[in-house]
Amino acid sequence: MTTMNWDFTIKLTDIAIVVAALLGPVLAVQAQKWLERRRDVKERQLAIFRTLMATRAAMLSPQHVEALNAVPVEFYGSSGKLKQINDAWKLYFDHHTTDGPATDAWAQKRLDLFQDILHLMSQFLGYNFSKAQLARDIYSPRAHGDLETEQTIIRRGLVGLFKGDIALPLAVKEFPAADPASAELQAALQQVLTDALQGVKPLVLSRDKTEDKSECD
């Protein structure tokens, strides 16, 4: 019986070629999916940044509030610039939850914290904005600012009115001028009623002459 020994010499390059041929399509698909996910995340981050930039002069608008609430989700991260963005957002959020009146100093601190968020976002997304540009280069018509201030005053006033904290001031400045003839007639009627009630003069009720004539007929 003859035994045949087969010696196979397999090179590492041959193994690499086989593995690449088998895994190449799979890896290419996974890489494509990873790139698409990264692109989607970047687009959502850019959308939030654009919204905050476009509404930074109308910070009470629903679009502005919605974009701010999405920052911790779309800019999630525990290291690098993502962590800085989340830390800046947390400081901004904590500033709004502090007790006390909304003074000018509080409002200025609010703007400073918001500009810190924008500046960190702009750096992360590849923009070269300075803090001065973010604070200064804003188009905001004066009428829009007046409207927002008036709406805030009206809203606070209505809340205070419904809660009973304030009352509507009512003041009568003048009464309408009385008709002299009506005033004389009213005075005469009051005098007749007073005399009748006191027994000074009986109350006489006259009948219609037309009715008297019909009874006689």
Side-chain angles (χ1 to χ4, degrees):
M1 181 175 180
T2 304
T3 303
M4 298 180 62
N5 295 325
W6 297 87
D7 294 332
F8 296 95
T9 303
I10 302 176
K11 297 180 180 179
L12 292 177
T13 55
D14 296 334
I15 296 176
I17 293 173
V18 173
V19 172
L22 294 176
L23 298 182
V26 177
L27 294 176
V29 171
Q30 293 300 321
Q32 182 65 27
K33 290 183 178 179
W34 183 83
L35 291 175
E36 290 177 355
R37 287 195 295 268
R38 289 293 303 167
R39 184 169 59 250
D40 292 341
V41 171
K42 191 65 171 294
E43 286 296 327
R44 292 195 297 270
Q45 291 172 344
L46 284 170
I48 291 175
F49 180 71
R50 293 191 192 102
T51 301
L52 293 178
M53 286 288 290
T55 60
R56 65 190 191 276
M59 304 178 75
L60 297 180
S61 65
Q63 297 85 353
H64 186 89
V65 176
E66 182 179 354
L68 272 176
N69 287 328
V71 169
V73 177
E74 301 301 342
F75 288 86
Y76 178 79
S78 57
S79 61
K81 290 190 179 298
L82 287 175
K83 184 179 185 303
Q84 294 178 9
I85 293 173
N86 280 274
D87 290 343
W89 182 90
K90 188 64 168 61
L91 289 175
Y92 184 75
F93 177 79
D94 291 342
H95 183 68
H96 285 77
T97 58
T98 54
D99 297 331
T103 61
D104 292 339
W106 182 92
Q108 184 59 49
K109 181 66 175 178
R110 173 193 182 189
L111 289 176
D112 294 339
L113 293 174
F114 176 69
Q115 289 163 10
D116 289 341
I117 297 175
L118 281 184
H119 187 242
L120 290 171
M121 283 184 178
S122 66
Q123 290 181 328
F124 177 77
L125 296 173
Y127 292 98
N128 191 26
F129 293 124
S130 65
K131 288 187 177 182
Q133 286 178 297
L134 296 173
R136 182 183 65 246
D137 299 343
I138 304 175
Y139 173 68
S140 178
R142 181 176 179 180
H144 288 183
D146 294 342
L147 178 61
E148 184 172 340
T149 302
E150 292 169 357
Q151 288 176 344
T152 302
I153 294 174
I154 293 173
R155 184 174 62 253
R156 290 178 179 175
L158 290 176
V159 171
L161 179 63
F162 291 145
K163 292 174 63 177
D165 297 335
I166 60 175
L168 290 176
L170 299 177
V172 180
K173 294 183 178 180
E174 61 181 7
F175 291 96
D179 184 9
S182 298
E184 292 178 1
L185 180 60
Q186 184 177 2
L189 179 59
Q190 289 177 348
Q191 185 63 44
V192 171
L193 292 175
T194 300
D195 293 343
L197 292 174
Q198 293 178 354
V200 176
K201 187 176 181 181
L203 181 63
V204 179
L205 300 177
S206 61
R207 302 179 63 183
D208 190 357
K209 294 182 180 179
T210 304
E211 293 180 358
D212 295 340
K213 184 177 181 182
S214 60
E215 290 178 357
C216 293
D217 295 342

